[in-house]
């Protein structure tokens, strides 16, 4: 059997490491072309060495010498920077994992699709900011995008053999994050450390905090809209503290297909890795009798204002997803750095979105990579002005010191 050529962008992260775990268990079936990372040079070099990667890329040009040094004696090429990432994504591969965190995943994802590679998409930010551009690039080059986000993998699986035209609604579930049982009044004082612990999933720091604020679910509503071309009013969110039902698809005859499984990303990654086949995967099997009860409830809009912001971005359309994502990424960084409070994040994103909505010229610009990059930068600048100025940060000011 000819090994499949695979590349992993964001290899040093949570999704990347889980992907390598699956590849390690089926070593003969794969040949690793490119691996990318950011600051974790030791992990990147160790994996490049173990898997005999053709090229290892760090996103940070300042770390190139470190990477070269760490790769001494191996046959792996070292490269660094945004252009090197795009070049590595252009190398012929059958399957490419897009697992960089943030908008930095967009360019390598587009490059992979433009070369006809199948893109396993964990990087939801690129779909939120540039969904139509990604989908259109895939279509033009006969490339396929497979969802890796667990909810979207679940919907995708529930839709196998079904006609999307018969779908009435899609329900994606949310655990409720770290603070689902906290009194509302306490949220403003929540610290990044508290927000970065997830009750059910083990993920990277940024997505874990986004789970606590439900910005993660907000991004996922838009991701569902873009990926499955579903109208916003057909997409619902339920809080489901057990995280065992990942999504449900409701059809016009009243049937609902639920996708269940242990909260382990290796299921969704493995499904995308072997699609259209189903292979044995090393994930825990559910014992529903032991679980006993599954709970569902409607998310409280006051606790989770991010969900309403996703609806607003979809209503505005055009490049509003890029505005939401850029402002959110910037506000999240500010929260992690202790510059603003937990509940300030939604306030900042709301204000930025509102400002762009008032003068819609920018969000109505054509969906090109240039325009997305520009509006992403503008949204971050607008968020920063709010953080630095008097307007936002009132609640957060001085809280973390
Ligand atoms: P991690 O933070 O664990 O990993 C992020 C990866 O991206 C690392 O390899 C990191 O390198 C790299 N990276 C960070 N910043 C940049 C940058 N500016 N340019 C290029 N590379 C960069 O994140 P996760 O694995 O948790 O998430 C990855 C993506 O998958 C996100 O889009 C997330 O929303 C999505 N996702 C994750 C899930 C999960 O279970 N973790 C579930 C569903 C979706 P380094 O660490 O070396 O600095
Ligand atoms: Mg998810």
């Amino acid at each position: 059997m000819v090994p499949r050529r695979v590349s992993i962008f964001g290899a040093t992260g949570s999704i990347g490491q889980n992907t390598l775990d699956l590849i390690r268990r089926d070593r003969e079936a794969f040949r690793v072309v490119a691996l990318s990372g950011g600051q974790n040079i030791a992990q990147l070099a160790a994996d490049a060495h173990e898997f005999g990667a053709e090229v290892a890329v760090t996103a940070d040009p300042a770390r190139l010498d470190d990477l070269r040094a760490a790769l001494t004696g191996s046959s792996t090429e070292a490269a660094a920077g945004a252009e090197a990432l795009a070049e590595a994504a252009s190398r012929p591969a059958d399957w490419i994992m897009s697992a960089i965190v943030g908008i930095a995943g967009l360019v390598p994802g587009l490059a992979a699709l433009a070369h006809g590679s199948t893109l396993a998409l964990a990087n939801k930010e690129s779909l939120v900011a540039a969904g139509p551009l990604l989908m259109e690039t895939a279509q033009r080059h006969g490339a396929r995008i497979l969802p890796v986000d667990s909810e979207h993998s679940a919907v995708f699986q529930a839709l196998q053999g079904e006609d999307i035209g018969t779908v009435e609604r899609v329900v994606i579930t949310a655990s409720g994050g770290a603070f689902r049982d906290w009194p509302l009044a306490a949220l403003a004082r929540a610290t990044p450390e508290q927000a970065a612990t997830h009750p059910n999933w083990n993920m990277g720091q940024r997505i874990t905090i986004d789970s606590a604020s439900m910005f993660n679910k907000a991004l996922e509503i838009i991701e569902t809209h873009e990926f499955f071309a579903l109208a916003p009013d057909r997409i619902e969110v339920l809080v489901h503290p057990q995280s065992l039902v990942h999504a449900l698809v409701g059809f016009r005859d009243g049937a609902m297909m639920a996708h269940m499984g242990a909260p382990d990303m290796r299921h969704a990654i493995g499904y995308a890795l072997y699609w259209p086949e189903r292979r044995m995967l090393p994930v825990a099997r559910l014992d529903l009798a032991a679980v006993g009860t599954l709970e569902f409830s409607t998310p409280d809009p006051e606790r989770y204002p991010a969900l309403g912001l996703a609806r607003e971005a979809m209503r505005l359309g055009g490049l509003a997803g890029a505005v939401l994502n850029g402002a959110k990424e910037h506000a999240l960084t500010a929260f992690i750095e202790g510059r603003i409070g937990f509940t300030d994040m939604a306030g900042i994103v709301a204000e930025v979105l509102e400002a762009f909505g008032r003068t819609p010229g920018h969000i109505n610009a054509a969906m090109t990579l240039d325009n997305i990059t520009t509006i992403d930068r503008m949204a971050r600048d607008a968020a920063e002005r709010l953080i630095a100025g008097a307007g936002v940060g009132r609640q957060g000011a001085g809280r973390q010191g």
Side-chain angles (χ1 to χ4, degrees):
M1 198 182 67
V2 184
R4 288 170 66 206
R5 292 170 62 90
V6 298
S7 291
I8 301 163
F9 289 82
T12 52
S14 166
I15 292 286
Q17 291 293 299
N18 277 311
T19 307
L20 286 173
D21 175 77
L22 293 177
I23 290 174
R24 186 179 287 117
R25 292 162 191 266
D26 193 9
R27 197 62 199 84
E28 299 305 307
F30 300 100
R31 170 139 172 245
V32 174
V33 178
L35 295 178
S36 96
Q39 298 306 320
N40 195 345
I41 300 296
Q43 187 70 53
L44 178 60
D47 292 335
H49 188 73
E50 176 187 348
F51 291 92
E54 277 174 23
V55 61
V57 189
T58 165
D60 183 356
R63 303 300 305 277
L64 181 58
D65 287 343
D66 296 340
L67 181 59
R68 281 209 182 103
L71 285 170
T72 305
S74 92
S75 59
T76 302
E77 234 176 280
E83 271 176 36
L85 278 176
E87 187 281 322
S90 309
R91 296 193 185 199
D94 301 301
W95 189 90
I96 294 185
M97 168 55 79
S98 168
I100 287 174
V101 63
I103 195 68
L106 176 59
V107 169
L110 286 171
L113 292 172
H115 287 79
S117 300
T118 292
L119 190 69
L121 190 71
N123 177 252
K124 63 189 84 186
E125 296 90 343
S126 58
L127 205 51
V128 169
L133 180 62
L134 276 168
M135 302 311 270
E136 185 244 349
T137 305
Q139 204 168 24
R140 189 148 35 93
H141 297 278
R144 185 177 286 280
I145 306 178
L146 294 171
V148 173
D149 213 345
S150 57
E151 297 76 4
H152 307 77
S153 173
V155 172
F156 186 75
Q157 293 181 50
L159 283 173
Q160 294 300 303
E162 303 286 353
D163 172 2
I164 185 86
T166 65
V167 173
E168 228 169 41
R169 57 205 275 241
V170 161
V171 182
I172 57 175
T173 63
S175 70
F179 305 140
R180 66 181 173 219
D181 300 322
W182 280 35
L184 268 185
L187 289 182
R189 286 185 307 279
T191 66
E193 293 70 33
Q194 289 167 325
T197 47
H198 197 282
N200 305 331
W201 295 91
N202 185 7
M203 311 183 286
Q205 180 200 37
R206 294 179 71 88
I207 185 176
T208 305
I209 298 174
D210 281 349
S211 296
S213 64
M214 280 241 196
F215 265 112
N216 180 48
K217 214 50 55 179
L219 300 184
E220 288 182 2
I221 296 175
I222 302 176
E223 193 184 0
T224 307
H225 168 62
E226 298 293 356
F227 196 91
F228 300 103
L230 276 174
D233 62 359
R234 291 183 186 268
I235 306 165
E236 301 165 29
V237 174
L238 284 179
V239 175
H240 167 48
Q242 290 81 15
S243 293
L244 298 178
V245 176
H246 305 307
L248 306 99
V249 179
F251 295 91
R252 67 177 172 208
D253 60 356
M256 281 195 103
M257 304 290 253
H259 180 282
M260 302 182 71
D264 183 334
M265 283 309 293
R266 291 177 305 175
H267 170 73
I269 296 168
Y271 184 78
L273 183 60
Y274 293 112
W275 184 88
E277 285 178 39
R278 270 191 199 277
R279 296 276 187 89
M280 247 280 291
L281 292 173
V283 300
R285 272 45 178 170
L286 289 189
D287 177 352
L288 287 178
V291 172
T293 310
L294 297 175
E295 296 156 277
F296 300 92
S297 62
T298 308
D300 170 5
E302 218 186 318
R303 184 178 290 273
Y304 302 119
L307 298 179
L309 297 175
R311 304 269 174 208
E312 177 59 9
M314 289 187 292
R315 191 187 68 75
L316 290 169
L319 302 181
V323 171
L324 174 103
N325 183 67
K328 192 282 291 176
E329 285 200 36
H330 193 81
L332 172 59
T333 301
F335 171 64
I336 292 170
E337 290 170 349
R339 299 175 63 213
I340 58 170
F342 182 75
T343 47
D344 293 331
M345 289 190 285
I348 289 165
V349 175
E351 279 203 46
V352 173
L353 208 52
E354 208 186 299
F356 276 84
R358 273 197 304 270
T359 47
H362 294 294
I363 52 179
N364 289 336
M367 180 156 292
T368 61
L369 181 57
D370 271 357
N371 287 343
I372 291 161
T373 309
T374 303
I375 207 165
D376 171 73
R377 173 51 45 210
M378 290 171 67
R380 286 167 199 262
D381 290 348
E384 180 54 34
R385 280 195 300 277
L386 290 169
I387 293 165
V392 184
R394 279 176 305 233
Q395 288 180 302
R399 173 171 325 128
Q400 314 284 342

